[in-house]
Amino acid sequence: MNKNNYIVAVYPSHTAAEEAIKELQQSGYDMKKLSIVGRDYHTDEHVIGYYNAGDRMKLWGKTGAFWGGLWGLLFGSAFFWIPGLGPLLVAGPLVSWIVGALEGAIAVGGLSAIGAGLYSLGIPKDSILRYETALKTDKFVLIAHGSTDDMTHAKEILNRTKPNTLDHHK
């Protein structure tokens, strides 16, 4: 079992999530311990795209500036099409947790690949179902991990950003 603690915050919009990330960055929080996941699916006539060119990520579309700014801050990024959730963009260590769950064939009844990645960390299934529901309704899920001290610090900062929900998983 992983010895890290996890703070999971749900935000109603990319603007609110971006504000939380900036608050954490300005406080000196280690950006390699932060992940975000959200939908970037819009049925408008704007071109939406994503690609990796070496170490640089490029994305364009309705929220391209938001996601493009995160690629420089967070470690790792991916685009997943997940049945039941649709297209999701993921940045941070959550990418490797999802891939690890998929490669290890972790199948947890009723959970998506995102959920399986979170479940492998010890996050309870009932909480994961709430996070998946939030993603289905176009919210953004921010995940911070680290030591107890890291999480105390992150929780204080994130509380000030007024997320819809804020959970501490140990």
Side-chain angles (χ1 to χ4, degrees), residues 40 47-54 56-61 64 67-68 71 76-80 88-92 95:
D40 190 42
V47 174
I48 296 173
Y50 166 87
Y51 67 90
N52 178 346
R56 286 190 256 154
M57 308 310 279
K58 296 288 185 182
L59 180 124
W60 64 97
W67 287 105
W71 302 143
S77 60
F79 171 82
F80 294 100
L88 294 173
L89 290 169
V90 182
V95 172

Side-chain angles (χ1 to χ4, degrees), residues 60-133:
W60 64 97
K62 194 168 184 178
T63 57
F66 165 72
W67 287 105
L70 292 180
W71 302 143
L73 294 175
L74 303 179
F75 180 72
S77 60
F79 171 82
F80 294 100
W81 181 275
I82 299 176
L85 292 175
L88 294 173
L89 290 169
V90 182
L94 179 58
V95 172
S96 62
W97 302 332
I98 293 167
V99 171
L102 293 172
E103 287 177 349
I106 295 175
V108 182
L111 296 181
S112 68
I114 300 278
L118 294 173
Y119 187 80
S120 71
L121 303 173
I123 294 178
K125 189 174 177 181
D126 62 328
S127 295
I128 293 168
L129 292 173
R130 285 188 293 114
Y131 306 143
E132 288 180 336
T133 299

Side-chain angles (χ1 to χ4, degrees), residues 20-38:
I21 291 168
K22 287 179 181 176
E23 289 284 329
L24 286 167
Q25 182 187 31
Q26 290 170 358
S27 76
Y29 187 80
D30 183 355
M31 293 286 102
K32 291 182 180 178
K33 295 181 177 182
L34 189 65
S35 296
I36 188 166
V37 60

